[in-house]
Amino acid sequence: MSVLQEKNNHGRGLWQGVSGSFAEMHKNFAPRIERYLYFKLPRKEDAEDLTSEVFARAWAYLQIQPIAHPNAFLYRIARNLIADYYRDNSKVGQATERQLLSVPDSMNLSKQTENRFAVEELLQIIKTLKSEYQEVLRMRFFDDMSVAEIAEALGKTSNNIRVVLFRAKNALNKATKSFKD
Amino acid sequence: MRSIYKQLRALKNHPLAGGLSNADQERIWLETCRKIGRSNLVIRETTVRLPVWSMSKFFSTPMAVSVASVVMLTTGFMTTVSASDSIPGETFYNVKILTERAQIKLASLDRKAVLHTEFAVRRLDEVAKLQAAAKNEDRQTVNQPLIDHTLVAYAVQVTQATDSLRELQAEDAESAVVIANDLASSLETIAPALDAVTSQVVSTNSTVGDVQQTTTAASALITDVAVESHETADTVLSASEIKKLFNNQLALIESRYSFDGRRVETLRRVIKELMVIDQELVLPNIKELDNYLVVMKGVEKDIVEANRVFDLGGYKTAFRIFESSKRLLLKQEIGLAKAEELIVDARGLIALRVEAEKVALAEAEAAAAQAVEAQAVAEAAVSAELLETDVPAEAQGEDAGSAVQNSGLDTEELFKLE
């Protein structure tokens, strides 16, 4: 059970009719939903637009009934919206590929993080992995999600996620080694 | 390998890793609010807390409800009565909020919507009291944050009233129509109080706009719920209630329409009068007022159209037409209020001029009187001087004697007189 769920687990229902809690939910989940969309869509603007759409749909749903698992629920809406997005061929035609390598020097975090890889290199390495691995690694390291939360978000069991995460880490290890070579 | 994980974690807020800056997050939040159609302020309610309400989390717990019930039962009504008149910032205000929350918790669904509306009226009343208190104590500045937060509390109550109505709609459509009707009437009575209160708020933030937007949205939502509930229930009662709601709205718009018409006519007359007095005065544009009359013609047509559509069963469309007419009238009323302000200013200017003229006239009269007096004194002095220099002393004595003789008085009598 997430922190937010625990916070709102008293009373009649989770989130129901509690306007302020929606703001809290937005604050806590918007960054990870946006990131999830960011890596699935070609443009950042689309990711931001769909993030607000995810929450607007969640709000509409909340007017009818409470949401027991906001984490899983929001990711489900996001996945559906991604499917809708790619079904609309015209949008894909207009979309431009993000230029991951054209990073200004000021954005280079390698010095700040005291690591050997630059930001773009790391992202490039992750990009070489299977999309399933990329997803769990991002959720685990960028969003600080627990195995249970990742499992909930992706609609899989915790054991399954543990296995995928283990394989993803191994794949990342191999990819970094081959990148250095 | 661990260093790679560290690097990945360090990337979490990086834009290339999909990280959001605070500004990005705020933009997404506002866009979400726009899509939802709700005020940002209302949705954020719990993030805006006053120190006096710091126990608000406690108030919403079942324990708080029990405590409130016990307080009400054991201490009688004395505490609650004392608290009922309290305003934000006072000691008993917490008791007031606690009691309200307890009432809400214990109320049935249909009662909840009504209670929220009553509490919304209370919040407005509190804002008015805060403003009045500031005036009475002749403070230079009012407690703006407290007023803003109370206004937000009002907006929250209005939103919760509509939320309760939505819940009721899902459970009992027929009751929802009846309650929607009650809420619509309450909101109409709230409107003047809200205008009075918000007109005095000098707020640098968007509180007033948000609060007004919330009230307008609530009003539209209430009519939507009423129509949808009637379409679901479709009973004699719901039909009569929806007709009543329509008639109330119609009467309201008609009264505003005729009142605004009179305002325009009065303004036109006064402007013409003032222009005769002074053409240099800054006055409202008469052509603009003519435009208002055109708008009002449009509203008149809308009213006829709404009636026609309603009779054909297009309830939602009819109420939508009313909403659009209300918006037009509101826009026009804002313009009229500005025009009236200009008139007041112009009249004030004329009054000042008249006053100044009066003062100048009085001063001129006083100066003239002084001049006359001075002249008289000067003349008297001159004649006295002439007498002293031209006539010898003996002659003066003879003259005096002859004068006495001329006056017909005896010397003895003269002595007596002396």
Side-chain angles (χ1 to χ4, degrees):
Chain A
M1 187 178 280
S2 73
V3 180
L4 275 162
Q5 277 176 269
E6 281 165 5
K7 271 186 193 171
N8 292 279
N9 212 2
H10 61 76
R12 281 177 294 118
L14 299 164
W15 308 106
Q16 191 175 30
V18 188
S19 313
S21 299
F22 182 77
E24 211 176 322
M25 178 166 91
H26 192 280
K27 193 179 168 192
N28 285 284
F29 290 104
R32 55 173 74 165
I33 294 295
E34 195 272 348
R35 195 194 314 277
Y36 180 73
L37 291 165
Y38 175 84
F39 283 102
K40 297 275 183 187
L41 301 175
R43 289 187 302 191
K44 187 170 168 59
E45 300 81 48
D46 292 334
E48 288 184 4
D49 184 45
L50 286 198
T51 306
S52 61
E53 186 60 34
V54 166
F55 284 91
R57 290 194 182 189
W59 173 271
Y61 188 85
L62 278 166
Q63 305 310 304
I64 306 162
Q65 62 186 80
I67 299 171
H69 304 285
N71 192 32
F73 184 75
L74 292 171
Y75 275 103
R76 199 167 70 229
I77 300 177
R79 277 200 297 276
N80 291 342
L81 286 176
I82 292 167
D84 289 348
Y85 180 94
Y86 282 105
R87 227 173 269 137
D88 183 357
N89 290 325
S90 60
K91 273 187 182 173
V92 179
Q94 288 166 13
T96 54
E97 188 68 27
R98 260 198 310 276
Q99 298 296 308
L100 281 175
L101 294 173
S102 60
V103 192
D105 289 343
S106 59
M107 281 189 174
N108 195 324
L109 281 187
S110 58
K111 281 181 186 173
Q112 290 175 34
T113 52
E114 295 176 359
N115 285 309
R116 285 158 295 179
F117 293 105
V119 176
E120 62 271 30
E121 289 169 348
L122 260 178
L123 291 171
Q124 196 71 349
I125 291 166
I126 292 180
K127 228 185 155 189
T128 59
L129 306 178
K130 272 170 71 177
S131 66
E132 190 186 22
Y133 294 167
Q134 288 182 36
E135 213 161 54
V136 289
L137 286 174
R138 281 197 300 264
M139 286 180 171
R140 183 78 174 135
F141 297 110
F142 291 173
D143 296 328
D144 288 331
M145 287 165 74
S146 66
V147 170
E149 281 178 319
I150 299 172
E152 196 184 50
L154 298 178
K156 292 179 178 172
T157 62
S158 294
N159 279 339
N160 184 297
I161 294 298
R162 268 190 207 101
V163 172
V164 174
L165 196 57
F166 176 76
R167 287 177 183 163
K169 282 176 178 176
N170 280 344
L172 179 67
N173 198 7
K174 276 184 192 167
T176 47
K177 276 178 186 165
S178 62
F179 189 86
K180 275 186 226 166
D181 297 338
Chain B
M1 195 63 207
R2 286 196 181 278
S3 79
I4 294 287
Y5 301 153
K6 267 189 180 176
Q7 284 181 66
L8 285 174
R9 285 205 171 92
L11 274 182
K12 72 166 68 161
N13 294 322
H14 196 277
L16 283 178
L20 283 179
S21 66
N22 286 342
D24 289 339
Q25 203 167 341
E26 183 67 16
R27 199 175 54 249
I28 294 174
W29 166 248
L30 291 175
E31 179 61 18
T32 308
C33 293
R34 193 191 62 74
K35 284 181 179 169
I36 291 170
R38 289 281 181 105
S39 153
N40 160 33
L41 217 59
V42 171
I43 300 175
R44 272 194 200 283
E45 183 245 341
T46 54
T47 62
V48 194
R49 279 203 193 94
L50 283 175
V52 287
W53 296 339
S54 56
M55 288 174 75
S56 55
K57 265 190 182 170
F58 167 73
F59 291 156
S60 62
T61 60
M63 170 73 91
V65 177
S66 316
V67 171
S69 311
V70 170
V71 167
M72 283 166 74
L73 291 171
T74 53
T75 62
F77 287 102
M78 285 310 288
T79 317
T80 42
V81 166
S82 313
S84 65
D85 288 334
S86 59
I87 56 172
E90 288 181 357
T91 320
F92 273 116
Y93 192 68
N94 281 339
V95 179
K96 186 178 182 177
I97 297 294
L98 176 63
T99 316
E100 283 180 4
R101 289 187 187 217
Q103 278 179 276
I104 293 283
K105 290 276 175 191
L106 299 171
S108 59
L109 205 50
D110 54 341
R111 181 81 187 123
K112 263 182 194 166
V114 178
L115 276 177
H116 280 302
T117 322
E118 281 175 17
F119 298 154
V121 176
R122 281 192 199 174
R123 296 296 90 82
L124 279 186
D125 190 37
E126 286 158 12
V127 176
K129 280 181 182 167
L130 283 171
Q131 288 171 339
K135 272 186 191 169
N136 290 341
E137 290 164 25
D138 201 21
R139 282 188 220 148
Q140 288 298 311
T141 52
V142 291
N143 192 341
Q144 198 57 53
L146 206 55
I147 288 176
D148 280 352
H149 282 107
T150 315
L151 277 173
V152 172
Y154 153 82
V156 169
Q157 290 294 349
V158 170
T159 311
Q160 285 175 341
T162 51
D163 288 347
S164 300
L165 186 64
R166 275 277 186 216
E167 282 179 51
L168 181 64
Q169 183 191 8
E171 280 189 12
D172 182 356
E174 194 178 45
S175 303
V177 189
V178 179
I179 298 296
N181 213 341
D182 286 351
L183 295 194
S185 310
S186 303
L187 275 191
E188 298 303 350
T189 49
I190 280 176
L194 182 64
D195 282 348
V197 158
T198 50
S199 65
Q200 288 188 48
V201 174
V202 186
S203 194
T204 47
N205 56 36
S206 56
T207 311
V208 171
D210 276 341
V211 164
Q212 279 164 341
Q213 192 195 333
T214 307
T215 313
T216 315
S219 173
L221 197 132
I222 286 168
T223 47
D224 278 0
V225 170
V227 171
E228 286 165 17
S229 303
H230 167 58
E231 283 166 358
T232 314
D234 201 13
T235 60
V236 178
L237 178 67
S238 70
S240 105
E241 285 294 323
I242 207 85
K243 181 78 185 161
K244 205 157 87 181
L245 181 63
F246 179 81
N247 286 337
N248 286 345
Q249 299 251 330
L250 180 66
L252 183 89
I253 289 178
E254 279 180 343
S255 71
R256 274 173 73 175
Y257 165 81
S258 55
F259 181 64
D260 288 353
R262 286 200 297 277
R263 280 171 84 181
V264 173
E265 286 308 318
T266 312
L267 277 170
R268 282 163 63 93
R269 184 172 49 76
V270 174
I271 291 168
K272 281 177 186 164
E273 282 171 11
L274 290 173
M275 279 171 83
V276 172
I277 297 171
D278 185 351
Q279 289 191 338
E280 299 295 310
L281 285 171
V282 180
L283 292 169
N285 192 343
I286 287 210
K287 277 185 186 169
E288 242 174 65
L289 292 177
D290 291 341
N291 285 341
Y292 289 156
L293 288 176
V294 175
V295 171
M296 292 184 72
K297 285 269 178 213
V299 170
E300 201 179 323
K301 278 183 191 166
D302 283 350
I303 291 173
V304 174
E305 178 66 9
N307 265 310
R308 192 185 68 79
V309 172
F310 187 84
D311 289 341
L312 289 173
Y315 306 128
K316 222 167 196 172
T317 315
F319 283 114
R320 288 267 181 276
I321 294 173
F322 277 165
E323 287 302 324
S324 126
S325 300
K326 276 190 207 169
R327 275 197 296 275
L328 281 175
L329 285 173
L330 182 68
K331 200 176 165 191
Q332 175 169 302
E333 280 156 9
I334 292 168
L336 286 174
K338 281 181 186 164
E340 281 161 353
E341 271 176 31
L342 280 179
I343 295 284
V344 170
D345 287 349
R347 278 185 162 165
L349 197 67
I350 290 174
L352 277 176
R353 275 191 205 161
V354 169
E355 191 64 30
E357 278 171 14
K358 271 185 189 170
V359 170
L361 192 67
E363 280 175 358
E365 279 175 1
Q370 266 186 344
V372 169
E373 203 176 317
Q375 200 180 351
V377 170
E379 279 172 5
V382 169
S383 57
E385 204 175 313
L386 280 173
L387 281 172
E388 277 174 15
T389 50
D390 296 347
V391 185
E394 299 85 351
Q396 278 184 30
E398 281 171 17
D399 275 357
S402 64
V404 171
Q405 279 173 0
N406 288 341
S407 68
L409 292 171
D410 294 338
T411 319
E412 279 176 18
E413 280 172 344
L414 184 69
F415 282 124
K416 274 180 193 168
L417 278 174
E418 281 175 343

